[in-house]
Amino acid sequence: QVQLVESGGGLVQAGGSLRLSCAASEHTFSNYAMGWFRQAPGKEREFVAAISVSGLNIDYAASVKGRFTISRDNAKNTVYLQMNSLKPEDTAVYYCAAPVVDAIVISGGSWGQGTQVTVSS
């Protein structure tokens, strides 16, 4: 099972930007479709974005489309989430996971430990 470690979270004002990174422990990372999810206090975890193995197929939740960009660097075993025009409602713990199919993590898949993103108004 691949190990995933997120980084890049923090506190930012509304309208600001953050870039999250998720580093995988194995070279087999390049075999997995990757995804970002988030969980706000008192809410269920929700899908944010996903990217295919090749990087050519990308999907976003409606709430982040046009503001967030997911990308991957298979040579570095890393997936990124560039978050622009952040809103207070984006405040959550962000998780990366794999493998992802149709915005769902396959049973037995891997999750990172999460990184906190806080957007102040």
Side-chain angles (χ1 to χ4, degrees), residues 9 23 47 55 64 72 80 90 115-116:
F47 169 76
V64 306
R72 67 189 297 160
Y80 305 97
D90 294 318
T115 185
Q116 176 70 47

Side-chain angles (χ1 to χ4, degrees), residues 17-78:
S17 297
L18 282 175
R19 189 195 195 200
L20 305 183
S21 299
C22 173
S25 61
E26 301 178 5
H27 68 279
T28 52
F29 162 87
S30 61
N31 295 335
Y32 301 131
M34 302 292 297
W36 286 97
F37 296 77
R38 67 186 182 186
Q39 186 167 21
K43 295 187 177 181
E44 293 186 354
R45 191 174 300 185
E46 64 176 2
F47 169 76
V48 175
I51 186 167
S52 64
V53 169
S54 67
L56 296 179
N57 294 311
I58 289 174
D59 189 23
Y60 295 102
S63 59
V64 306
K65 193 171 294 185
R67 300 187 298 122
F68 291 11
T69 301
I70 188 172
S71 61
R72 67 189 297 160
D73 185 337
N74 289 340
K76 295 182 178 180
N77 292 348
T78 302

Side-chain angles (χ1 to χ4, degrees), residues 2-6 22-25 29 34 77 96-98 110-114:
V2 64
Q3 303 298 313
L4 303 172
V5 179
E6 302 96 336
C22 173
S25 61
F29 162 87
M34 302 292 297
N77 292 348
C96 69
S110 299
W111 291 86
Q113 83 289 350

Side-chain angles (χ1 to χ4, degrees), residues 1 15 22 76 81 94:
Q1 196 176 39
C22 173
K76 295 182 178 180
L81 186 68
Y94 283 72

